[in-house]
């Protein structure tokens, strides 16, 4: 179990607290971060793309494989989107997929 806890009041749901962590998240912990992250998306991602890229990389490093893959896809989209109008639907779609994965595992 990770010492870091998700926090919907922190930017990116507290994912930046995972930077440098080597403790893998279990499914419930990872899904708590997903929920906290999506509560603020896409607004936080659009406002601070570099912060989002960093937070998603930290999460992907310790998340279960399927959620890590979606986090890396979202990180790639965030890094590569030309403008907010292009990024917004991508953020919504990928965060929705992460939420669905978490819901199906309950």
């Amino acid at each position: 179990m990770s010492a870091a806890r998700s926090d919907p009041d922190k930017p990116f749901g507290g994912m930046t607290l995972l930077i440098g962590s080597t403790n893998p998240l279990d499914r419930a912990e990872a899904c708590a971060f997903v929920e906290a992250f999506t509560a603020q998306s896409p607004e936080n991602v659009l406002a601070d793309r570099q912060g989002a890229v960093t937070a998603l990389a930290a999460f992907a490093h310790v998340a279960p494989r399927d959620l890590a893959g979606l986090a890396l896809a979202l990180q790639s989209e965030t890094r590569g989107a030309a403008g907010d109008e292009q990024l917004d639907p991508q953020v919504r779609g990928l965060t929705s997929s992460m939420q669905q994965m978490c819901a199906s595992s309950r």
Side-chain angles (χ1 to χ4, degrees):
M1 285 212 158
S2 172
R5 299 280 178 240
S6 63
D7 185 345
D9 295 326
K10 292 190 185 288
F12 311 111
M15 283 184 182
T16 54
L17 298 172
L18 299 171
I19 293 172
S21 177
T22 56
N23 298 325
L25 297 173
D26 65 26
R27 179 65 119 197
E29 290 173 317
C31 287
F33 276 100
V34 167
E35 289 303 315
F37 179 85
T38 57
Q40 302 173 348
S41 292
E43 294 79 15
N44 272 353
V45 175
L46 296 173
D48 181 7
R49 288 186 188 199
Q50 187 53 49
V53 166
T54 301
L56 289 162
F59 176 75
H61 183 70
V62 294
R65 185 173 299 215
D66 55 350
L67 291 171
L70 285 172
L72 291 173
L74 181 52
Q75 178 192 34
S76 178
E77 288 294 330
T78 301
R79 187 181 287 136
D84 290 352
E85 65 283 343
Q86 178 188 357
L87 181 59
D88 184 71
Q90 296 297 330
V91 171
R92 290 182 193 281
L94 287 166
T95 54
S96 176
S97 293
M98 291 168 71
Q99 285 178 304
Q100 289 171 1
M101 253 183 213
C102 286
S104 69
S105 66
R106 290 182 188 144

